[in-house]
């Protein structure tokens, strides 16, 4: 069981007021708030151990390096990767997907080949592939989304061809909340010898993820969505594939030897970590992973599901409420529209009541086109949210409705 009142005390920002009202923060899919232990770990690291990693022979540099590598080990354990070499630190999911698209395409994709994505992808799992598709002359095939907001699995099987080189899919939709059947997708793709990449930006913070039991080939996520700092993220990749992929960026740290005649690259994972990494970010991310582990990911998932169920029930009672996405397998996101109130009007007026939600296309414009809507209002939950906050959201929506 979650002791939500005690958890809320760990997050100083949750005690804030906005417009003289208690903050009701329901924009967790965009970014999560940080517990005091994560905030402290950043200032402690700057106060006590700051020095550039991996290059120094002096005490502080060695200590900072050990802490960064311990953070990598923590990530490895958290996502169940087989080895630390398979854990690459990036700036976030977006950079992870760009690294993957760039290096994977260069290593494995030729003109006329195909990459399968889906109709519910975030722009960061669309545009990096478009950039490479233009460069290498491959095409993108898109799994359609059903009216309930699920992937059309029959269509997926039909899209697979002898030219398919990769399937790249979101674990959880940041708009619909749909939890995609990634194990099934991986099983089907692997039966054709095709690797699968998972955008886990909305997966890892809410669901226990084990990349080995999933059998995922790549898995990306962002630190800031799992209570860690901004500017740090992860790309997990299977060693056999990563070792055949060229570096993404060049510079310090990713090399073994540089001459003007040619350069040899460092081993994994450093080959993909050019320049001074955000070692403070890695250290603080490890602290965030310790924090959620101390609560327990399964307990978090159960609590967030109960919040989501409660919210669906409460909001469904509002006349004119229309949910966008009704997949039975869902995680902490509810998108909706009310009557003909524009989502940005709803968001702005809720804000004045102290309620932070997100509005717009949520970086998923093709999905908005598919659904024939300009955008949605999105409430997204964390384990620090309460039923009272959902009551406040429901009352807030009623109040906004009464203004129209
Ligand atoms: N994928 C999904 C499903 C997301 O929700 C997000 C963030 N909204 C991203 C990718 C991009 O994450 P970031 O901005 O942290 O790189």
């Amino acid at each position: 069981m979650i002791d939500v009142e005690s958890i809320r005390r760990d997050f100083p920002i949750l005690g804030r007021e906005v417009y003289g009202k208690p903050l009701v923060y329901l924009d967790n899919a965009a970014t999560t708030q940080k517990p005091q232990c994560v905030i402290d770990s950043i200032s402690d690291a700057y106060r006590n151990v700051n020095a550039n990693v991996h290059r120094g022979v002096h005490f502080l540099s060695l200590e900072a390096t050990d802490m960064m590598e311990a953070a990598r080990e923590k990530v490895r354990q958290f996502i169940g990767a087989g080895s630390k070499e398979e854990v690459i630190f990036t700036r976030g999911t977006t950079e992870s997907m760009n690294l993957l698209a760039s290096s994977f395409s260069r290593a494995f994709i030729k003109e006329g080949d195909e990459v399968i994505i889906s109709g519910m992808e975030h722009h960061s799992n669309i545009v990096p592939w478009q950039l490479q598709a233009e460069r290498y002359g491959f095409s993108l095939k898109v799994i359609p989304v059903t009216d309930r907001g699920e992937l059309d699995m029959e269509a997926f099987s039909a899209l697979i061809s002898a030219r398919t080189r990769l399937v790249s899919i979101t674990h959880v939709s940041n708009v619909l909340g749909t939890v995609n059947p990634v194990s099934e997708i991986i099983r089907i793709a692997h039966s054709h010898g095709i690797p699968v990449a998972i955008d886990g930006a909305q997966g890892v913070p809410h669901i226990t993820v084990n990349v080995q039991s999933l059998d995922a080939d790549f898995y990306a996520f962002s630190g800031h969505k799992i209570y860690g700092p901004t500017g740090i993220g992860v790309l997990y990749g299977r060693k056999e594939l990563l070792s055949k992929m060229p570096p993404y960026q060049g510079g310090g740290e990713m090399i073994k030897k540089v001459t003007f005649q040619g350069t040899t690259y460092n081993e994994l994972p450093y080959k993909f970590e050019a320049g001074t990494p955000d070692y403070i970010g890695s250290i603080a991310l490890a602290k965030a992973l310790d924090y959620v582990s101390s609560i327990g990911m399964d307990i978090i998932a159960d609590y967030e599901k109960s919040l989501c169920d409660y919210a669906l029930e409460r909001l469904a009672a509002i006349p004119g409420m229309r949910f966008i996405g009704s997949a039975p397998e869902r995680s902490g996101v509810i998108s909706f529209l009310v009557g003909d109130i524009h989502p940005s009007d709803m968001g702005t007026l809720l804000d004045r009541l102290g309620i932070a939600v997100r509005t717009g296309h949520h970086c998923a414009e093709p999905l908005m086109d598919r659904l024939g809507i300009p955008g949605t209002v999105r409430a997204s939950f964390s384990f620090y949210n309460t039923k009272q906050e959902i009551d406040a959201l429901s009352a807030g929506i009623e109040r906004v409705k009464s203004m129209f």
Side-chain angles (χ1 to χ4, degrees):
M1 261 303 288
I2 277 196
D3 178 354
V4 69
E5 282 316 317
S6 133
I7 281 173
R8 286 178 72 81
R9 285 194 289 277
D10 294 338
F11 292 80
I13 208 170
L14 298 180
R16 262 205 76 169
E17 293 197 335
V18 293
Y19 310 108
K21 307 209 164 52
L23 170 69
V24 176
Y25 186 78
L26 298 175
D27 194 17
N28 295 288
T31 199
T32 51
Q33 300 302 348
K34 316 306 168 198
Q36 188 65 50
C37 62
V38 168
I39 300 169
D40 288 345
S41 81
I42 296 169
S43 63
D44 287 351
Y46 276 122
R47 258 172 215 273
N48 298 314
V49 288
N50 182 51
N52 208 334
V53 289
H54 292 138
R55 334 176 166 184
V57 290
H58 59 80
F59 186 91
L60 286 187
S61 175
L62 296 172
E63 196 167 81
T65 305
D66 284 350
M67 287 176 80
M68 177 177 168
E69 291 309 314
R72 198 187 305 276
E73 170 60 17
K74 180 76 59 186
V75 172
R76 182 199 72 71
Q77 286 170 17
F78 192 78
I79 60 170
S83 85
K84 267 173 57 180
E85 297 161 281
E86 300 180 311
V87 175
I88 301 162
F89 282 120
T90 63
R91 285 196 300 119
T93 309
T94 302
E95 189 175 59
S96 297
M97 298 315 292
N98 277 278
L99 185 168
L100 174 67
S102 165
S103 297
F104 186 91
S105 301
R106 193 158 151 220
F108 299 117
I109 310 190
K110 306 244 163 340
E111 195 172 340
D113 284 345
E114 295 162 3
V115 168
I116 297 179
I117 59 171
S118 90
M120 64 168 84
E121 297 308 313
H122 187 279
H123 294 164
S124 64
N125 194 26
I126 303 173
V127 186
W129 296 110
Q130 288 175 329
L131 290 171
Q132 301 306 324
E134 224 169 80
R135 191 163 175 190
Y136 295 104
F138 62 85
S139 56
L140 286 180
K141 302 279 162 186
V142 181
I143 309 171
V145 175
T146 66
D147 291 339
R148 288 214 304 188
E150 295 175 289
L151 295 181
D152 180 338
M153 291 295 283
E154 270 181 31
F156 166 56
S157 294
L159 283 179
I160 294 176
S161 83
R163 301 303 302 260
T164 310
R165 293 290 166 261
L166 183 78
V167 177
S168 189
I169 296 291
T170 193
H171 195 164
V172 176
S173 161
N174 64 314
V175 177
L176 308 163
T178 309
V179 180
N180 284 322
V182 286
S183 291
E184 174 75 353
I185 290 169
I186 291 170
R187 193 187 57 71
I188 296 170
H190 283 182
S191 71
H192 296 268
I194 302 163
V196 178
I198 307 290
D199 168 355
Q202 303 294 346
V204 153
H206 305 287
I207 299 172
T208 303
V209 169
N210 184 300
V211 291
Q212 287 189 90
S213 25
L214 274 179
D215 209 12
D217 299 282
F218 299 96
Y219 196 100
F221 69 96
S222 299
H224 69 99
K225 293 186 198 278
I226 185 161
Y227 311 96
T230 52
I232 190 78
V234 170
L235 176 66
Y236 160 80
R238 205 189 278 283
K239 194 168 153 189
E240 304 87 88
L241 293 168
L242 287 179
S243 54
K244 293 188 187 125
M245 287 159 50
Y248 172 52
Q249 294 179 325
E253 203 54 45
M254 47 72 68
I255 49 88
K256 244 195 191 109
K257 173 139 190 73
V258 178
T259 68
F260 287 118
Q261 285 67 48
T263 291
T264 50
Y265 306 129
N266 206 340
E267 62 222 25
L268 288 174
Y270 310 109
K271 179 172 88 170
F272 292 107
E273 291 181 356
T276 299
D278 185 358
Y279 48 91
I280 305 280
S282 309
I283 294 166
L285 171 61
K287 187 52 88 174
L289 299 182
D290 275 342
Y291 181 82
V292 291
S293 302
S294 75
I295 302 172
M297 284 311 295
D298 291 343
I299 290 173
I300 288 174
D302 282 351
Y303 178 75
E304 290 178 350
K305 182 175 182 326
S306 71
L307 268 186
C308 205
D309 289 348
Y310 181 71
L312 284 168
E313 194 187 309
R314 282 301 308 256
L315 301 191
I318 299 173
M321 173 61 62
R322 176 178 158 210
F323 293 117
I324 309 299
S326 53
E329 284 298 319
R330 63 189 300 151
S331 171
V333 168
I334 297 181
S335 263
F336 61 87
L337 292 168
V338 183
D340 53 9
I341 303 173
H342 195 278
S344 66
D345 291 338
M346 177 63 83
T348 308
L349 292 166
L350 285 174
D351 175 55
R352 295 302 137 126
L353 302 171
I355 303 166
V357 291
R358 176 125 320 208
T359 65
H361 56 59
H362 314 295
C363 297
E365 284 192 73
L367 179 60
M368 297 298 119
D369 292 343
R370 155 70 181 88
L371 300 168
I373 51 177
T376 76
V377 185
R378 181 185 73 185
S380 53
F381 309 111
S382 156
F383 54 76
Y384 49 58
N385 289 125
T386 63
K387 289 191 172 167
Q388 290 85 326
E389 289 181 308
I390 287 162
D391 293 341
L393 171 67
S394 164
I397 296 169
E398 293 277 20
R399 174 118 179 249
V400 173
K401 260 190 72 185
S402 70
M403 295 177 193
F404 280 82

